[in-house]
Amino acid sequence: NSDVQGNQAGISSGLGISTLWDTRDNIFFPSNGGLYEIRMVFCSQALGSDFDFNDYEFNFRHYTALSERDIIAMQFYFRMVTGNPPFYELSALGGQNVMRGYYEGRYRDRYYYSFQTAYRFKLFWKLGADLFAGIGDVSDAVGNFKFKYIKPSYGAGLRYMLDEEEKLNLRVDAGFGKDAFGVY
């Protein structure tokens, strides 16, 4: 569509700032602590960009061990893109980490939120499992998020511990959404 900002491609160039607070006990397979990240990027023609826009991202994750075998993981994610971004810089719901079950970018808009939780547990030997569920949506304005349009995400996965010392896992997940499915 010739009316879509960025349909002829272009350059997104900007400067940003981010802050990260990481209290996780392991980066590959955390069982306690959290990862709290705020990122802001300011793109403008003065910085070589073809588009003037700002991108704000809030990603908060927390992990709690219920026992040696059971972990609860929670994530809140919010992103907003203001100004005149190209369509490919809009928030994209879905993917392998947030809102599994939707291919990334099936739903795009300026504002995006999601909340998801997972229950991870050890089965036996080096095998574990993951049950996850979440909700999220995109909108053109914060005030336009509507309860009736919330998209669900849920599924399950298996984990195989490749390296017990580093807690490095090989995973396979099947995620489901509203008229959507994905394997990761």
Side-chain angles (χ1 to χ4, degrees):
N1 185 333
S2 63
D3 296 336
V4 175
Q5 177 89 339
N7 70 330
Q8 299 295 318
I11 295 172
S12 297
S13 177
L15 290 174
I17 186 169
S18 69
T19 183
L20 177 75
W21 182 33
D22 189 350
T23 63
R24 296 172 297 172
D25 57 352
N26 184 284
I27 62 171
F28 296 118
F29 196 79
S31 58
N32 279 301
L35 176 68
Y36 313 98
E37 183 176 19
I38 299 172
R39 181 182 65 83
M40 296 176 273
V41 177
F42 308 97
C43 295
S44 75
Q45 292 179 0
L47 297 170
S49 181
D50 292 330
F51 312 99
D52 291 315
F53 67 97
N54 300 326
D55 186 352
Y56 307 91
E57 185 175 49
F58 304 86
N59 186 7
F60 305 134
R61 299 172 183 230
H62 190 76
Y63 305 88
T64 303
L66 303 176
S67 70
E68 274 188 39
R69 301 173 61 93
D70 303 286
I71 300 166
I72 296 288
M74 293 182 287
Q75 179 186 28
F76 172 74
Y77 180 84
F78 180 76
R79 183 174 178 219
M80 65 180 174
V81 182
T82 62
N84 294 304
F87 77 92
Y88 49 83
E89 293 287 358
L90 294 172
S91 300
L93 183 143
Q96 69 176 349
N97 295 314
V98 183
M99 297 295 291
R100 286 169 279 185
Y102 298 93
Y103 67 84
E104 189 172 10
R106 176 176 181 180
Y107 299 99
R108 285 184 181 269
D109 219 321
R110 292 177 177 272
Y111 296 86
Y112 172 21
Y113 78 89
S114 71
F115 176 77
Q116 59 185 11
T117 188
Y119 171 52
R120 299 175 182 163
F121 54 98
K122 187 171 183 176
L123 293 170
F124 59 90
W125 186 52
K126 293 184 173 192
L127 290 178
D130 184 60
L131 302 173
F132 55 88
I135 58 171
D137 202 5
V138 295
S139 179
D140 62 344
V142 171
N144 288 343
F145 284 118
K146 303 287 188 232
F147 183 76
K148 66 181 179 179
Y149 297 124
I150 291 175
K151 290 154 187 67
S153 169
Y154 57 92
L158 290 174
R159 306 288 184 266
Y160 176 77
M161 182 94 45
L162 293 172
D163 184 334
E164 291 185 52
E165 188 175 322
E166 293 293 325
K167 294 187 178 181
L168 185 61
N169 283 274
L170 179 64
R171 78 175 192 175
V172 62
D173 292 328
F176 301 87
K178 184 179 178 181
D179 302 319
F181 171 74
V183 176
Y184 309 91

